[in-house]
Every structure is written in C-alpha cells, then in structure tokens.
Amino acid sequence: QVQLVESGGGLAQAGGSLRLSCATSGRTFSSYGVGWFRQAPGKERDFVATIRWSGSSTYYADSVKGRFTISRDNAKNTVYLQMNSLKPEDTAVYYCARFIGSNWYSTTAYDYWGQGTQVTVSS
C-alpha cells in the first residue's frame, strides 16, 4: 500500500519561506518520481514541481521557477518542496503525488496522492 503524507504547510508573510515535506510509504518509493501540485479555491489543480526517481532531473512550473526547489531523500522516503520569496498567489492546498507517466505537468501522470497541506501567504 502506497501512502503519501504532506506536512509543513501554514501561514507565511509575502517574501517569506516554508518547507513542505511529503513522507511516503512503500518499498519502491525510490523507483518513482514524485510531484507537487497545488489547488486554490475554485481553481484546477496545477502542477508545481516534479523530481525524477534519481533526483537528477527536476521540473518546475514557470510561476515558481527560481523561487521553489524540489529535492528528495530516498533514505528517508521523503520529498521536500522549499518555497522561498512566497507571494499571496502561492496560497493553495499543496499535494504530493507519485509520478508514473510521461507528462510531468499533468495530473493524469500521477496515481497516488496525499491529502494535502494548506499554505496561506499574507500580503
């Protein structure tokens, strides 16, 4: 059974930082990529970042490039999303998911999802 659990969300001021964690279970975690998506109220779930199983390749949405960094620690079965220079428009529920497809920007390329963690950025 694969499970993903996000943590680290909360309230931050504009310009501040937060680090999200995605703890996963399952012996094959290190064989898969993991991605982060976010969903604001009334909006679709949007791609944020993905990291390949080896950690050697990462992909980012243009809106977060240069501000967010995705990384992973396979020994801890955990993926991180370091978010710097936060903006009010980053406010959303953030989800991590296991990547199994080829289109890293599409939700259809991910099978297992976490329950989400709220990030709120005040201006």
Side-chain angles (χ1 to χ4, degrees):
Q1 182 71 16
V2 176
Q3 290 185 316
L4 299 94
V5 180
E6 303 92 340
S7 62
L11 178 64
Q13 291 188 333
S17 299
L18 286 173
R19 189 177 81 156
L20 305 184
S21 298
C22 174
T24 72
S25 64
R27 293 179 297 172
T28 60
F29 165 77
S30 61
S31 300
Y32 291 91
V34 174
W36 286 95
F37 283 72
R38 65 187 181 186
Q39 188 167 19
K43 295 187 177 181
E44 294 185 349
R45 191 168 296 189
D46 292 332
F47 169 75
V48 175
T50 288
I51 187 166
R52 293 284 189 179
W53 68 270
S54 65
S56 61
S57 296
T58 55
Y59 309 92
Y60 295 93
D62 288 342
S63 59
V64 306
K65 202 171 293 183
R67 300 189 298 123
F68 290 10
T69 302
I70 189 171
S71 62
R72 67 189 297 161
D73 184 340
N74 286 342
K76 296 182 178 179
N77 284 359
T78 301
V79 172
Y80 305 97
L81 185 68
Q82 178 67 44
M83 305 187 297
N84 298 330
S85 301
L86 284 164
K87 303 176 181 180
E89 50 263 46
D90 294 320
T91 295
V93 177
Y94 283 70
Y95 299 89
C96 63
R98 190 176 73 167
F99 176 61
I100 59 168
S102 57
N103 295 330
W104 36 265
Y105 49 85
S106 172
T107 58
T108 60
Y110 301 79
D111 57 354
Y112 289 95
W113 293 79
Q115 83 291 346
T117 186
Q118 176 70 47
V119 170
T120 303
V121 183
S122 62
S123 57

